[in-house]
Amino acid sequence: MQLDDLYRRVIMDHYKNPRNRGKFEEGALTIDLNNPTCGDRISLQLQVEDHVVKNARFTGEGCSISMSSASMMTEAVKGRTVEEALELADRFSSLMKGEPVEFDDYEDIEALSGVNKFPARIKCATLAWNALKKGMEQES
Ligand code: ZN
């Protein structure tokens, strides 16, 4: 199987079976962001306790890139400290610049590496991560 095909499968799996989709009943930090160029919208919720992201959920709608990225991000960020979450978001920015970064801790994210070749889609992929950064900045 070609790497591109594998990556496409990973992206479509997260799009069709999103992880952590939904809302918390209470006690969560909520960040709403949208990407007008594509029409993607996300409402990210983070439960942060003692400087650690205990849990994350999201709702929203948009293209497969934006929604799969949100699914991956919410999965990868659980259990991280605020600093670790910001480091993860920085690493994702590097990935979008085409830099050779690895996500040994959550390999699915690497499926989005091809997006850097399509500048118009980078905003789709980074939407959830920008929401994460905004939330973490409020906590730090
Ligand atoms: Zn999009």
Side-chain angles (χ1 to χ4, degrees):
M1 200 191 305
Q2 295 277 323
L3 195 58
D4 280 358
D5 290 336
L6 174 67
Y7 282 173
R8 203 169 299 124
R9 278 183 198 205
V10 172
I11 291 167
M12 288 316 288
D13 177 52
H14 276 274
Y15 181 53
K16 289 179 179 161
N17 309 296
R19 319 313 190 248
N20 312 306
R21 194 169 174 91
K23 275 190 186 298
F24 293 113
E25 295 294 318
E26 57 184 54
L29 182 65
T30 303
I31 306 101
D32 295 315
L33 270 189
N34 60 65
N35 168 26
T37 54
C38 179
D40 308 314
R41 292 188 305 106
I42 183 176
S43 179
L44 173 66
Q45 287 196 311
L46 300 165
Q47 283 185 328
V48 185
E49 266 177 52
D50 300 326
H51 226 57
V52 172
V53 180
K54 296 282 182 191
N55 215 338
R57 285 186 187 165
F58 76 100
T59 54
E61 55 191 37
C63 66
S64 58
I65 299 294
S66 64
M67 293 296 111
S68 62
S69 187
S71 171
M72 293 174 196
M73 183 279 286
T74 50
E75 197 65 3
V77 79
K78 280 190 236 175
R80 309 245 181 188
T81 64
V82 170
E83 288 78 15
E84 286 167 350
L86 285 167
E87 185 277 328
L88 193 68
D90 280 346
R91 220 172 339 137
F92 190 78
S93 299
S94 299
L95 187 76
M96 289 300 107
K97 289 177 193 147
E99 292 167 16
V101 287
E102 287 184 351
F103 289 86
D104 293 338
D105 33 6
Y106 196 70
E107 286 182 342
D108 283 12
I109 294 170
E110 292 177 19
L112 291 167
S113 60
V115 171
N116 77 76
K117 297 187 202 89
F118 304 96
R121 309 311 298 276
I122 292 176
K123 282 185 182 170
C124 302
T126 53
L127 181 66
W129 297 86
N130 288 341
L132 173 66
K133 269 195 214 171
K134 248 185 150 176
M136 294 295 93
E137 278 156 14
Q138 289 177 35
E139 288 293 323
S140 57

